[in-house]
Amino acid sequence: QTAPAAPQTSSAAPAGLYQALGEKAGIARLMDDFVNRVVQDARIRDHFKDTKPQALKESLTDQICELTGGPCKYEGADMKSAHADMQINKAHFNALVEVLQAAMDAQRIPFAQQNRLLALLAPMHRDIITVR
Ligand code: HEM
């Protein structure tokens, strides 16, 4: 008999981050604006030329909701599979993070909370950046 697996978010999610982002509705609003900015950003828009923005917004909302301790379940691909063969380098990754910061500023998310979210996302660079 084995114990049930711990939820993935248990230790990683800082207390209160999900609430600070405005819960699921706030995260959905943030991801809506974020993806709208991403697909216009000259540094990375080419990566998204065949992407359906609405589907990506929904995936990201679930992912961030779960990651920050909310009651959501992200059921998309793991980050390595999702970004395989995209030739993503460090500059692309940093550009996307900058766009996310701009979107968080626009939603008036406090700087300390912005940094908490970025700290949760930063380790994903290992799976996403495939070009050194
Ligand atoms: C921490 C950084 C990142 C996170 C958390 C993230 C997260 C995600 C998620 C959750 C998906 C959806 C996967 C699915 O639904 O199965 C996705 C897809 C995608 N990501 Fe990222 N990503 C990041 C960085 C990047 C970067 C730097 C690029 C390129 C500049 C990128 C380009 C894409 C593209 C093109 C897709 C595919 C969308 C489609 O299915 O058409 N991502 N990402």
Side-chain angles (χ1 to χ4, degrees), residues 111-128:
F111 187 63
Q113 306 294 341
Q114 295 189 18
N115 285 336
R116 290 197 172 99
L117 178 57
L118 295 174
L120 290 176
L121 299 178
M124 297 178 182
H125 75 88
R126 291 187 202 94
D127 288 331
I128 293 172

Side-chain angles (χ1 to χ4, degrees), residues 72-112:
C72 306
K73 183 91 191 92
Y74 170 65
E75 291 181 323
D78 65 86
M79 290 299 94
K80 203 178 183 81
S81 320
H83 301 91
D85 307 319
M86 286 189 192
Q87 308 294 322
I88 294 172
N89 63 27
K90 198 171 156 185
H92 297 133
F93 189 89
N94 289 339
L96 181 133
V97 169
E98 270 183 42
V99 174
L100 179 57
Q101 288 174 306
M104 290 193 289
D105 277 341
Q107 297 292 324
R108 299 174 183 269
I109 294 166
F111 187 63

Side-chain angles (χ1 to χ4, degrees), residues 2-80:
T2 52
Q8 277 192 344
T9 50
S10 58
S11 58
L17 179 55
Y18 175 67
Q19 286 72 21
L21 295 177
E23 305 194 341
K24 183 147 188 200
I27 294 169
R29 212 159 45 234
L30 175 64
M31 289 303 121
D32 182 51
D33 185 36
F34 169 64
V35 171
N36 290 345
R37 290 170 187 257
V38 161
V39 299
Q40 293 182 56
D41 189 287
R43 296 168 295 179
I44 50 177
R45 66 184 172 211
D46 287 355
H47 284 89
F48 296 88
K49 62 183 188 310
D50 299 323
T51 294
K52 293 192 179 70
Q54 193 52 41
L56 182 58
K57 289 171 185 180
E58 286 167 17
S59 281
L60 284 168
T61 299
D62 282 342
Q63 183 193 42
I64 304 289
C65 171
E66 180 174 12
L67 195 66
T68 58
C72 306
K73 183 91 191 92
Y74 170 65
E75 291 181 323
D78 65 86
M79 290 299 94
K80 203 178 183 81

